[in-house]
Amino acid sequence: MAEDEPPRQAGEGKTSKKRKKVRDPEAEETAKRLKRGPAVDLKSITDKKLKGKLKRTEAVFASSQKKAAQINEWLLPASAGTLEAEGIERTWNFKQEAIVQAVDVSAAAKAFDLSLPELGPYNLTFTRNGRYMLLGGRLGHLALMDWQRSHLVCEVQVKEAVRDVAFLHNETFFAAAQKKYVYIYDKRGLEVHCLRDYTDVHALDFLPHHFLLTSIGEHGVLRYQDTSTGHIVAQHKTKLGPCDVMRHNPHNGVTLLGHSRGCVTMWTPNLTTAAVKMLCHKGPVKALALDPSGTYLATAGVDSQIKVWDVRMLRPLHAYYSHAPVTHMDISQRGLLAVGYGRKVQVWQDALRSKAQSPYLTHHLPEGVLETFRFCPFEDVLGIGHSAGISTMLVPGAGEPNFDTFVANPFQTVKQRQQQEVVALLDKLQPDTIVLDPDTIGRVRKEPADVARERRSEETAANAARLAAMRREAEAKAKMKGKNKPSRRHRKKQSNIIEDRKPTIKERQKEEATRKKEAAQKKAETAIPEDAPRAVRRFYKQ
Amino acid sequence: MKVKVISRSEEEYTRERTSDLRKVQRNYDPLLHPFEKAKEYTRALNAAKLDRVFAKPFLAALPHDDGVTCLARNPKLVNSIVAGAADGDIRIWDIPQKRTLRRLVGHTAAVKGISFAPDGETCVSASTDATVKLWKVPYAPFEAGVVQDDAEAVFEFQGKNAFRGIDHHWDRSAFATAGAAVDIWDHSRSEPVQSFTWGSDTVTSVRFNPAEPDVFASTGSDRSIALYDLRRATPLRKVVMQTRSNALAWNPLEPFNFTAANEDCCLYTFDMRKLESALGVHKDFVSAVMDVDYSPTGREFVAGSYDRSLRIFSVSGGHSREVYTTKRMQRVFAVRFSGDATYVFSGSDDMNVRCWKAKASEQLGVRLPREKHKQAYNDALLERYKHMPEVKRIVRHRHLPAAIYRASKMRRAVTDSDKRKLQRRIDHSAPGSIVVKPERKKKILAQVE
């Protein structure tokens, strides 16, 4: 692009004919992500056949990544939302009303308030494609609605306390953690299952690729249940008390729990203890949030700190101080961090990779105290559940503008939904593929030569020892053949064999006596003098 | 303030009429597609399992009146095969209809070899009754109807001794027979035009080279494989092995390579230019290998053995990729690949010619492009993940009859113990005192010119 090039000076030397492609920084980043890591080093390979094969595969990879990068750069239909402040304006000063007035009608319709003051603070969650919203009021009000078209799919009053709600693989099923048990409902509002193994559940979560419903509650038991087969895959006793903060890492499927002693633990169904235990805060952890690439973890504790961690290296990156302890957090698809406490919601942009100085947007709830909030996938909307109902807030630039039809389609028809369910079940991942580093699947685990050698030598030594023991036993048995008669045993008892053992016993007795004498002497030496005052007596070693 | 929020119009993302295709958006950003490796592995596992579920290779059994001793493929017709039986009965089979088109009656003893002339309309058959008969095989497709006896051979060549094998020349109207010696005949002569002998042992089979029409190879009961050239008076060279080879096949796409089916349950692939070492040893059978034939693709071959099984090997592999057995199939004496490399035929002692699929789980017939794409994807997944233990276990799994399973276990125990003992001898002797012959040279005794 001509305006970006520095003005060429005459006589500067040979100017290159090729113009450097100036790419959109986001497109650059996506292209880098598409590379999925460095290429194989072909120079170190001596086997010609293998080298040729790898060269061809690398060429195929490179061409496919180039194509995907080009498609992503040129062929995607939509672009992300933006909010720019002009002049001395600052983005955090913009009120929601002003933003709603400035956008087009269909986008403005996405910001609404549902006033439901009677049935308690509301929990809310969205489906993976962002089309359906599930509300769960504390006093038992469950409602499933297509929120963009203001269409209520089902509504049911369960007459029990509802602590948390979660969608299963699509909008046809959802789970509600009620007073005693967890219930699964159909999209018609009919109760389909009552999961009696789950008692006093505080938080529910669903891993979509593994079809695992996770729950944690009063007893601190983390349960994984496969919702396609109905088996309970794993039950882990966290032994860290009641817990109600649970999130899963979308990159590797690991479940993160925030505990009241300030630590965050990471769990997989395969290990009975936590895979990772991190001490994050002084005091209970109130909120957790993970970004979709599984790189950053944001934690909030009662010590009014928000800490950002690198989850892959388990290192702290930044720490922010808030005026009051933050009670809820969420991270959107494009990395915007939303924090909330009381009646305030703040959205921060670029707060994870680098330390941000000021928020991006703020919102003050007109009515009700904050209960929960979630970003809607593929939309620039933050859904807030509070004690007076539901509100939505427009957050430009939060959602991913271009969805993939075969992953999550907001305009899904019934047939497409059925197809996707079948494909998802066919592609269902087994719970033992949940590992901290998902790249290890399919890798060859190289064992260092000395470790292998040691292991082999240990094996041979153990085998030799076992064989020797067996041989000795066999010999002893052979020796004992015909020699273990009762008369012989009786004779041995009467003989002087006992005499032979006597010296060792006598020796031991002598040793005991000398030891006791020494101990008595020592005690006499270190005895406390009788004129020492009582306060001083503890300094004399006994 | 400049603000823009995502707002999608329904029309843009949905179709207008039901006759339109549904719109599809793709975003290849890896953030939207997590668990790539795990998903691919799961799909590879599912592909391996489905492969085994759909592995139903047996298609048809075509009955004869006596054990089938030889098979021949018509180079011009893909849908027919000619089979010769031990009672002298030769039948031309129409595979799709599973019926006999013609019965070539004439031989009084077992038919040992059948071969087609390059035009596909004439075939010659050699039998143990010391005759070679020339038959006319019409090209036009036959109408449905009753089996017709074609009793008359067009020409009959009388020989002195029983014939063991026959192969037709690719260019001329000449053919070579194997018996007491290798005889070269012409269609118009009643006596052999040329004769090659080397030693006094019988020659069991002859095969012409697919690229060089005047070069051919033969296997003899003196445990040798000999190379000949029609333009010379004497045979070219001979490689003597430890055990006898029963049959031979040239690789159609690498015509300097041939594979010999040996009595010691292995097949040996040789380069004819360098006979002192085999290119590869293919081991999986537990009894003598009776016949071998290459696929027209030149990448794999099929072999049938005395142990009632037939196996398909890859040219570069040492072990078979597929094994076909049936309780009803007895000793396999003849095998052929079909002309389009999709089917494999086996002629066995239980008087049947069996037709099998070369790729057991292949879906035959016309496939939709999406099915083809899915199949290609599954094959690529299996290729990538075939080393993973779970996938390998499923891909390799084949049901074997108890006799073959037990025999192969015993052979493995024997070879393992031999290897162990050899290793110990090497470990406890002076270094370099024990010379180990490589496997490819072990069974070759000598090369003679």
Side-chain angles (χ1 to χ4, degrees), chain B residues 75 115-124 134 157 166-176 183-189 192-196 208-216 228-232:
Chain B
S115 182
F116 269 85
D119 60 0
E121 290 190 22
T122 325
C123 77
V124 284
L134 184 87
F157 303 86
I166 189 166
D167 197 24
H168 202 286
H169 197 278
W170 293 88
D171 237 357
R172 310 200 295 259
S173 55
F175 55 90
D183 292 324
I184 311 296
W185 305 72
D186 194 278
H187 282 202
S188 46
R189 297 269 146 77
V193 170
Q194 222 180 336
S195 192
F196 294 93
F208 275 97
N209 186 302
E212 197 69 41
D214 282 331
V215 170
F216 63 97
Y228 306 78
D229 193 323
L230 281 181
R231 298 161 286 198
R232 283 160 159 261

Side-chain angles (χ1 to χ4, degrees), chain B residues 306-324:
Chain B
Y306 197 71
D307 70 357
R308 304 186 177 94
S309 70
L310 59 99
R311 286 177 190 265
I312 301 179
F313 292 82
S314 152
V315 157
S316 48
H319 288 282
S320 57
R321 75 159 174 86
E322 194 70 77
V323 56
Y324 295 154

Side-chain angles (χ1 to χ4, degrees), chain A residues 36 84 209 401 405 427, chain B residues 2 8 25 36 39 43:
Chain A
R36 291 170 176 91
E84 278 168 27
H209 299 277
T405 314
D427 281 346
Chain B
K2 272 200 280 189
R8 299 189 183 96
Q25 260 66 246
E36 281 176 335
K39 279 221 147 96
R43 285 177 188 168

Side-chain angles (χ1 to χ4, degrees), chain B residues 355-375:
Chain B
C355 176
W356 311 77
K357 284 195 247 182
K359 289 200 177 62
S361 49
E362 192 184 7
Q363 189 190 346
L364 300 172
V366 178
R367 283 181 294 162
L368 296 170
R370 279 168 103 197
E371 288 179 325
K372 278 192 227 167
H373 180 75
K374 183 79 202 299
Q375 193 55 48

Side-chain angles (χ1 to χ4, degrees), chain A residues 11-133:
Chain A
E12 211 178 30
K14 256 196 186 166
T15 51
S16 66
K17 293 266 171 88
K18 275 195 199 165
R19 286 226 186 116
K20 212 178 173 188
K21 252 195 267 178
V22 180
R23 260 166 157 188
D24 183 20
E26 264 187 46
E28 281 263 8
E29 222 187 277
T30 321
K32 207 165 64 169
R33 253 204 311 263
L34 281 166
K35 270 204 198 300
R36 291 170 176 91
V40 173
D41 179 24
L42 294 171
K43 279 182 230 142
S44 54
I45 298 173
T46 46
D47 183 2
K48 279 194 195 152
K49 263 195 213 168
L50 180 62
K51 196 171 183 172
K53 227 189 201 179
L54 285 176
K55 228 183 189 174
R56 253 176 281 131
T57 355
E58 286 296 326
V60 168
F61 280 3
S63 74
S64 75
Q65 278 147 28
K66 197 170 158 202
K67 242 189 215 164
Q70 282 176 339
I71 290 173
N72 270 12
E73 205 177 332
W74 300 111
L75 288 183
L76 292 178
S79 56
T82 49
L83 176 63
E84 278 168 27
E86 293 163 322
I88 54 161
E89 288 173 333
R90 296 281 175 265
T91 54
W92 68 78
N93 284 328
F94 293 146
K95 291 214 188 294
Q96 275 294 299
E97 294 88 26
I99 295 177
V100 165
Q101 292 227 330
V103 292
D104 58 291
V105 180
S106 52
K110 289 180 189 164
F112 60 88
D113 281 296
L114 277 181
S115 178
L116 305 156
E118 296 108 27
L119 292 164
Y122 277 83
N123 259 303
L124 76 79
T125 183
F126 290 97
T127 47
R128 268 186 85 206
N129 57 6
R131 179 149 163 191
Y132 292 90
M133 180 202 278

Side-chain angles (χ1 to χ4, degrees), chain B residues 320-334:
Chain B
S320 57
R321 75 159 174 86
E322 194 70 77
V323 56
Y324 295 154
T325 49
T326 316
K327 238 198 296 196
R328 301 253 171 113
M329 182 163 76
Q330 302 302 315
R331 320 284 178 188
V332 179
F333 286 124

Side-chain angles (χ1 to χ4, degrees), chain B residues 24 75 107 362 405 422:
Chain B
V24 165
H107 282 296
E362 192 184 7
Y405 180 71
L422 177 65

Side-chain angles (χ1 to χ4, degrees), chain A residues 245-508:
Chain A
V245 181
M246 177 164 74
R247 286 294 183 123
H248 75 267
N249 187 338
H251 177 66
N252 58 14
V254 158
T255 303
L256 281 89
L257 300 174
H259 298 279
S260 50
R261 56 170 78 171
C263 58
V264 166
T265 48
M266 297 195 203
W267 298 83
T268 61
N270 315 313
L271 300 170
T272 47
T273 56
V276 171
K277 250 192 202 174
M278 294 187 341
L279 182 64
C280 292
H281 290 281
K282 296 185 190 125
V285 174
K286 292 299 288 178
L288 279 178
L290 281 139
D291 84 315
S293 68
T295 331
Y296 303 107
L297 164 67
T299 60
V302 289
D303 52 358
S304 303
Q305 274 196 354
I306 299 168
K307 291 195 181 161
V308 177
W309 307 78
D310 184 331
V311 142
R312 296 190 202 185
M313 311 291 256
L314 299 173
R315 280 187 302 121
L317 291 174
H318 325 291
Y320 296 89
Y321 287 89
S322 58
H323 299 294
V326 163
T327 48
H328 295 89
M329 281 205 299
D330 196 23
I331 298 182
S332 82
Q333 275 179 322
R334 294 188 78 241
L336 266 65
L337 172 67
V339 301
Y341 51 92
R343 296 169 91 124
K344 278 216 219 359
V345 176
Q346 271 185 5
V347 181
W348 294 71
Q349 198 177 43
D350 250 356
L352 303 168
R353 224 174 321 160
S354 50
K355 191 154 181 184
Q357 299 305 319
S358 50
Y360 176 58
L361 278 182
T362 53
H363 184 53
H364 194 96
L365 291 174
E367 48 192 28
V369 175
L370 181 68
E371 173 68 19
T372 189
F373 52 62
R374 282 290 159 102
F375 276 104
C376 179
F378 303 111
E379 291 290 343
D380 280 342
V381 159
L382 176 69
I384 306 169
H386 48 78
S387 57
I390 301 279
S391 308
T392 53
M393 178 185 156
L394 287 181
V395 181
E400 172 65 48
N402 300 298
F403 55 87
D404 191 317
T405 314
F406 299 122
V407 168
N409 184 0
F411 300 97
Q412 207 173 45
T413 60
V414 171
K415 264 238 164 79
Q416 282 178 333
R417 191 195 70 215
Q418 291 165 345
Q419 284 275 342
Q420 200 184 43
E421 194 171 357
V422 173
V423 171
L425 282 168
L426 283 173
D427 281 346
K428 180 182 89 162
L429 303 173
Q430 293 304 313
D432 38 1
T433 55
I434 299 178
V435 284
L436 282 174
D437 182 11
D439 275 337
T440 52
I441 295 174
R443 274 244 180 101
V444 175
R445 184 177 49 187
K446 275 203 287 207
E447 219 175 28
D450 43 358
V451 171
R453 223 181 298 133
E454 219 183 273
R455 195 166 46 86
R456 241 178 287 131
S457 63
E458 268 175 38
E459 276 175 18
T460 47
N463 279 342
R466 192 168 52 86
L467 285 171
M470 275 169 48
R471 222 176 289 124
R472 253 182 282 128
E473 219 183 284
E475 273 176 24
K477 269 203 188 152
K479 272 200 187 146
M480 289 300 283
K481 255 194 182 172
K483 292 181 185 170
N484 208 12
K485 296 183 296 190
S487 55
R488 192 184 151 87
R489 264 190 277 148
H490 178 78
R491 207 174 357 106
K492 283 220 163 193
K493 266 191 185 168
Q494 310 302 322
S495 74
N496 289 340
I497 300 293
I498 299 167
E499 303 278 343
D500 292 342
R501 286 208 220 133
K502 263 196 184 164
T504 50
I505 297 171
K506 274 204 172 143
E507 270 175 21
R508 233 184 287 145

